[in-house]
Each structure stands twice: as structure tokens, then as C-alpha cells.
Amino acid sequence: MLKNVIQNIFKTTSRRIAVPALLTIILYVIAMFILFLPHIEQSFISRKKEMIHELTETVWSLLDNYHERELSGELTRPEAQHRALLRIGNLRYGPEKKDYFWITDMAPRFILHPYRPNIVNKDLKDIRDPSIKSLYLKFNEMVAKKGAGFVDYQWQWKDDPNRISPKLSYIKGFQPWGWIVGTGMYLDDIYAEINAIRNNFMAISTAILGIALMLSIYSIRQSMKADNELMRTAIERKRLNESLKESKERFRSLLENTSDWIWESDEKGRYTYSSPRVEELLGFSSDETMHKTIMDFVPIDLKNLYQETFKNLLGSQKSFKGFETTCQKKNGQHVVVENNAVPVFSKNDGLLGYRGVTRDITDRKMAMEELKKSRDILHANLEETVKSLALAEEKRDPYTAGHQTRVDRLACAIARELGLSDHQIEGLHFAALLHDIGKIALPSEFLSKPTLLSHQEHEIIKCHSKVGYDILKNIHFPWPVAEIVYQHHEYLDGSGYPRNLTDKEILLEAKILTVADIVEAISSHRPYRPSLGMEAALEEIQNGRGIRYHAPSVDACLKLIKDEKMDIS
């Protein structure tokens, strides 16, 4: 009867382990393939739409610039329009540098199309293709109603006139000249990228699912084995408990057969009883341990390490747990043991001694050491991974090679001077190494241009903070690395970019990184200018102290460099 009850209990325990494991796998499949993957695909399409939106806005700003020059009298309207068309007609982007911009007017007619010169400057009535006429009407209707928006249609594939593909464009009207400017993306490209993402994701998810399934099966099997073992142990323990009630001698017999060393001592810790287990643990017989303390088994060179603690534990006359000591076995080997004890008092509350258990924890200590080594290896791998990402960006921009490393050294030195915790400094260290990672997505010709960047080029370069944030935001660092990278060009007065944040909205680590970045950038060579020198760099942060730059960080930086405690060369 007792055996059947215990078996039912442990079978229920196995089910309680198996059911949650299987439900977890099912929920994972639902979350990954029904919720998460469609969300990723939709997010990808949204980013692509946002990209062509921003590119169109950039070209629109270029038209606005020429219009302002027209209004100022610098250029006539035909001159301004001619220059704008020449410049926009040569703009290309995308992996193959074949994506382009086009312009129509409200007549309607095409003013600019790099790959279809046959339809440029032709009136609608002279064009026989009904699809182009319909497209004109779509453009004009969208601009008339909303001023700007997305339009989908069929069009020539880039520079291949023999291939027609579905396309989604963003257009915006330029009212002063009655023009409509736009660019688009080919949906075949988008679907190809989404399929690649989906295939990679499904491969990884399938691998993870397989591992999780195997681990679940293994856990269930081990649980069932453990249940059987526990069942046998429970039955045996029940029998032993029943026999304990019959005889004190049988109780002592049970103690002497346990896996731990059980002992009793007087008030000074000298053993008055020692179970036979001590011989397996230390190599000494029970008789050899009589009237000795645990300190008698500690190596001579380690006695000072434990003596004071042992004395205080006995003096407290309280229970103690987890008192670890290294003991020397009879054969000279060392073993780590854990001592736990409770005090025993007389009827008059006088301390008689202690009853305790000593357990071999050598394997556990070794396992903990291995775990610490594994943690250190993981941390080292994280460090190397981050450095590799930083190096990848520097390979794209060799003129600023070493910039991120120098900024890292200066930023961490400032943080230490300000008294930041080691945890914060470590997060700042990784953010500093990655703060320009977003440049990896920018055109390399902008990064290495030997002359000053144009307004349009500078606006594109400014996107690197947001791109860096997008790259890093889904990596689960134990610090806000992505947000620090996002904010490293923000100033206290709101004049920074990309979000015009002000003092209270900016992280302390980002404020420190900004100061270090400014100093290193001004004092280093750039493709379009030689180094302006350290004096110019320090003058810049002094002039902006408390206005654009974090005052304590500026003061710490000045102190480090003027006291020659920091060299970023």
C-alpha cells in the first residue's frame, strides 16, 4: 500500500515536469513562427519604406536649396532648375548603385528620368503607353490630395527596359516649381531579402527547437530516473524511521551509515563522538579524531586563515552553517569540507557542546571554479566580439583607424575620475568601442572624402548614430550600450542630433562619451583637414562647458590631460 502511494506521487512529479516542458516548446513555436517572424518581416518593410521616404525628403531639400538661391537672386529659375536636375540625375544609391530619383511636373510630363530618356519632356498626349498615363494621374492625385505619399505600380527594372516589376515609390510635390520628386523600391528585391531573412530565421529556430526538445526529453528521462531513485529512497527511509522508534542503537546505526561525517563535540569543539564516515573523508579512524578539533586537521600554513573564525563561532554559542575549511587527509591529500552544527545546552542553559555534520564539498568547489573560469571566458569573448565589430567599422573608414579605441581610453579615464562604478565604466567601455559602428552602413566615399562634405552628405553621415542604435538595440548587453551610442552626438542645449535631446534626457555615460569624442576628433587628422591640435580641442570643450558639454566631464578631461595622466595619441 505504502509503495503504491509513493509511486503515484512520483509519477505525478514526472508529469509536472514533462507538461510544462512540452507547453514551453509549443509556445515557442507559436511565438516564433506566428507572432515574431511576421513582426520582423513587417518591421523590415517599414524600414525600407522609411528609407525611401527619407531619401525623397533629402532630394526635396536639395530642390528647396536651389529655390532659395533663385529667390536670393543668385540664380535665375532656369539656371536653378537646370543645376538641380543635373545633380539629382546623377544621384544613385542601393547595393548596385542603380536606384535613382525621378521628377515630373503637374502638366503632367517627366522632367527627369535617368533610365527612360524617351519619355522625358514629352506631353501626356504624346505618350501612347496607357500605364504611364495612369501613373501620371496617380502621382498628380496623390500630390493634390496629400502633398506626398506612397504609390505602387509596375515599372521598368532599374536600367533593364525588358523587365517590368512591381514597385513602391514615395513622392512629394515641390510647390514653388510645380514639380513632383520621388524614388522607389522594387518589391521583388524586398521579397528576396525577406525570404533570405525568413530562411535564416527558420534554420536557427529549428536548431534551437531541436536542442530544446532534446534537452526536454533528457530532463524528463532524468526526472523519471530520479523519481524511481527517490521512490526507493523514500521507501527505505520509511522503514528506517520505523526501526528508529524501536531502538536507540538502531538510530546510531543509521547515523553511522550516512554519507556525511556526523560528530559531537564539547564546548571547545573537541570531538566526543565521530561517525565511521570520517575514515572515508579524512583517512583517520573515529578513535583517532577523539578530543581533537577541526583545526587539528587543517594544514599548518592555513591555520591562521580559519582559527579566528572558528573561535568566534564557538564563542557565539549559536548554530553555524557553511563554515568551510581545507583539511589534510592522512595520506597528505587536501579536501575541502563544509561544517554545520547546532549547540547543545543543559537544563540550566549551560553550553554542553555541539552536534554537527561535516560534508566533503571538494567537487562542488572545483565545479564553482570551473564556472568562474567559464564566466571569465564568456566575458573575454564578449570583449573580443565588440573589438571585432569596432575593427569592422574602422576597415570601412581607415582615416579614423584607432579613433574608437582612443575615445574608449579617454572616456573610461574620465568616468574613473568622476567616480563611476566598475559596472558603469565597463558598459561605457563597450559603448565607446562601438559608438561609430553605424558608419559601417554609410557610403565609404563620404567617409574618406578629402574635402568638406556637402549639406546633403553631412545629413547622411549624421544618420550613423541611429544606424548604430538599430544594429545594437537587439543585443542584450547588461548595460544600455545601444542608447549610449544613439545619444553620443546629443548636446545639453538640444543642438545635437539625431533627436535634439537636452540635459536631463541624456545618459551620463553618453555625456562622458560626447566629451571624449569631441576631444579626440579635433586633435586627430581627418581626410579633409590635418589635426587642429590638443589646445583647440580643449578650448572647444571649455567654451561649451555647461552649455553643450557636461561640465563635470569637461573638468575631469581637462585635469587628466593637463596633469599628463592621459595620452590619447
Side-chain angles (χ1 to χ4, degrees):
M1 179 66 179
L2 175 63
K3 184 176 180 179
N4 291 335
V5 171
I6 294 175
Q7 286 177 334
N8 289 334
I9 291 173
F10 288 119
K11 286 180 180 179
T12 302
T13 303
S14 296
R15 285 196 295 270
R16 287 177 179 173
I17 295 174
V19 171
L22 294 175
L23 285 177
T24 300
I25 293 173
I26 294 171
L27 289 175
Y28 174 83
V29 172
I30 293 174
M32 292 298 101
F33 294 93
I34 299 179
L35 301 177
F36 190 56
L37 185 57
H39 175 73
I40 291 177
E41 295 174 355
Q42 188 58 44
S43 176
F44 180 79
I45 294 174
S46 298
R47 286 200 300 272
K48 287 291 187 179
K49 292 176 69 175
E50 183 180 349
M51 180 191 74
I52 62 172
H53 181 184
E54 291 177 354
L55 288 171
T56 302
E57 292 288 347
T58 300
V59 172
W60 191 96
S61 299
L62 186 63
L63 291 176
D64 191 51
N65 177 263
Y66 279 103
H67 177 57
E68 289 178 358
R69 294 172 67 181
E70 173 198 344
L71 296 178
S72 67
E74 178 184 349
L75 299 171
T76 65
R77 176 167 290 192
E79 289 174 338
Q81 291 179 337
H82 179 69
R83 293 189 184 187
L85 291 174
L86 284 177
R87 188 166 181 183
I88 295 170
N90 291 323
L91 291 178
R92 298 289 185 277
Y93 64 93
E96 300 176 347
K97 299 299 181 184
K98 290 186 177 181
D99 292 301
Y100 57 91
F101 299 91
W102 44 260
I103 298 174
T104 69
D105 63 14
M106 304 297 288
R109 60 176 179 167
F110 265 101
I111 303 298
L112 170 69
H113 195 292
Y115 297 144
R116 296 288 298 270
N118 60 308
I119 63 173
V120 173
N121 292 324
K122 282 191 175 182
D123 193 88
L124 180 63
K125 63 184 180 181
D126 297 326
I127 297 176
R128 297 179 180 180
D129 190 336
S131 63
I132 295 179
K133 293 183 179 182
S134 174
L135 183 58
Y136 272 134
L137 297 177
K138 279 188 177 182
F139 289 166
N140 287 8
E141 183 180 358
M142 175 62 73
V143 171
K145 288 183 178 180
K146 300 182 179 180
F150 290 96
V151 179
D152 57 320
Y153 53 95
Q154 299 282 331
W155 194 254
Q156 169 184 312
W157 174 267
K158 300 179 182 178
D159 57 352
D160 185 357
N162 297 319
R163 179 180 173 184
I164 303 300
S165 295
K167 190 172 183 181
L168 178 67
S169 289
Y170 184 82
I171 63 173
K172 184 173 182 179
F174 186 68
Q175 192 63 33
W177 292 349
W179 285 5
I180 301 173
V181 62
T183 190
M185 57 183 178
Y186 291 93
L187 298 182
D188 289 349
D189 276 348
I190 302 301
Y191 296 143
E193 292 185 52
I194 289 176
N195 284 334
I197 292 172
R198 182 186 293 111
N199 291 339
N200 289 337
F201 182 81
M202 290 183 68
I204 294 171
S205 296
T206 301
I208 293 173
L209 192 60
I211 293 171
L213 185 60
M214 287 188 290
L215 289 175
S216 297
I217 293 172
Y218 176 78
S219 297
I220 293 169
R221 289 184 62 188
Q222 292 302 112
S223 173
M224 293 174 68
K225 289 180 181 179
D227 284 352
N228 292 333
E229 186 63 33
L230 286 172
M231 180 184 66
R232 288 193 295 269
T233 303
I235 294 171
E236 184 63 26
R237 184 176 297 168
K238 180 64 178 177
R239 290 172 181 168
L240 289 172
N241 285 336
E242 290 174 352
S243 65
L244 282 173
K245 296 177 183 178
E246 299 175 3
S247 170
K248 181 178 179 180
E249 186 61 35
R250 295 180 67 181
F251 174 72
R252 182 172 293 275
S253 176
L254 175 62
L255 292 178
E256 291 175 353
N257 284 284
T258 58
S259 59
D260 295 329
W261 172 24
I262 298 173
W263 48 263
E264 292 180 349
S265 74
D266 60 19
E267 73 279 5
K268 293 184 179 180
R270 294 174 298 206
Y271 298 118
T272 57
Y273 166 77
S274 182
S275 69
R277 170 62 178 164
V278 67
E279 190 162 358
E280 293 183 40
L281 184 62
L282 298 179
F284 296 96
S285 68
S286 298
D287 292 339
E288 288 177 304
T289 63
M290 289 298 100
H291 310 298
K292 293 182 179 180
T293 72
I294 191 65
M295 291 295 106
D296 292 314
F297 301 103
V298 172
I300 296 175
D301 56 334
L302 297 177
K303 284 186 184 294
N304 291 337
L305 184 62
Y306 306 117
Q307 188 71 53
E308 189 66 26
T309 303
F310 181 61
K311 180 180 177 181
N312 291 336
L313 288 173
L314 295 179
S316 69
Q317 300 186 8
K318 296 179 179 179
S319 300
F320 58 85
K321 294 182 180 180
F323 174 46
E324 295 181 9
T325 57
T326 298
C327 295
Q328 186 169 312
K329 300 173 70 171
K330 196 171 185 177
N331 62 7
Q333 293 181 349
H334 286 189
V335 60
V336 182
V337 299
E338 179 185 80
N339 302 280
N340 304 301
V342 295
V344 178
F345 296 97
S346 67
K347 294 180 179 180
N348 299 324
D349 293 331
L351 180 65
L352 296 176
Y354 290 87
R355 290 195 183 106
V357 176
T358 297
R359 179 172 297 146
D360 183 357
I361 61 168
T362 305
D363 291 341
R364 188 175 80 190
K365 295 293 288 187
M366 292 176 64
M368 289 177 66
E369 287 296 323
E370 289 299 320
L371 184 61
K372 182 179 181 300
K373 288 180 183 179
S374 298
R375 183 194 65 189
D376 293 342
I377 290 172
L378 286 174
H379 188 276
N381 288 341
L382 175 60
E383 181 84 21
E384 291 303 318
T385 300
V386 169
K387 287 182 179 179
S388 296
L389 286 172
L391 181 62
E393 188 281 319
E394 288 186 352
K395 291 293 184 183
R396 295 257 303 143
D397 188 7
Y399 291 99
T400 58
H403 165 71
Q404 297 182 124
T405 303
R406 292 191 292 271
V407 170
D408 169 40
R409 292 205 309 270
L410 180 55
C412 290
I414 293 172
R416 282 189 289 271
E417 190 73 18
L418 294 178
L420 269 68
S421 67
D422 291 342
H423 180 75
Q424 286 177 291
I425 293 173
E426 190 172 19
L428 176 59
H429 160 65
F430 287 120
L433 286 177
L434 296 170
H435 75 277
D436 277 341
I437 189 65
K439 289 184 179 179
I440 201 169
L442 301 181
S444 58
E445 59 268 24
F446 290 5
L447 301 175
S448 58
K449 186 176 181 180
T451 59
L452 290 175
L453 297 173
S454 68
H455 173 74
Q456 177 192 1
E457 292 166 341
H458 184 63
E459 288 299 314
I460 293 175
I461 289 291
K462 284 166 67 174
C463 294
H464 78 276
S465 298
K466 176 64 167 59
V467 174
Y469 171 76
D470 290 337
I471 292 172
L472 301 172
K473 66 182 180 182
N474 291 324
I475 302 177
H476 299 293
F477 291 103
W479 316 276
V481 172
E483 191 62 33
I484 296 171
V485 169
Y486 204 178
Q487 297 180 7
H488 80 276
H489 278 297
E490 301 286 0
Y491 298 147
L492 305 185
D493 59 1
S495 62
Y497 65 85
R499 293 179 289 173
N500 306 115
L501 302 181
T502 55
D503 186 4
K504 293 183 179 180
E505 300 171 295
I506 305 173
L507 295 173
L508 174 58
E509 292 90 336
K511 296 174 183 177
I512 295 172
L513 182 56
T514 299
V515 172
D517 189 36
I518 290 290
V519 170
E520 200 288 329
I522 294 177
S523 62
S524 298
H525 294 288
R526 286 294 182 268
Y528 53 85
R529 62 153 174 81
S531 167
L532 300 179
M534 183 57 71
E535 290 186 6
L538 298 184
E539 182 180 355
E540 165 61 22
I541 63 173
Q542 280 181 309
N543 291 339
R545 180 185 181 276
I547 302 172
R548 294 187 300 279
Y549 312 123
H550 183 231
S553 297
V554 171
D555 295 340
C557 181
L558 294 173
K559 185 176 184 298
L560 287 167
I561 294 177
K562 289 182 178 179
D563 292 350
E564 298 184 354
K565 294 181 180 179
M566 188 65 205
D567 180 12
I568 62 172
S569 60

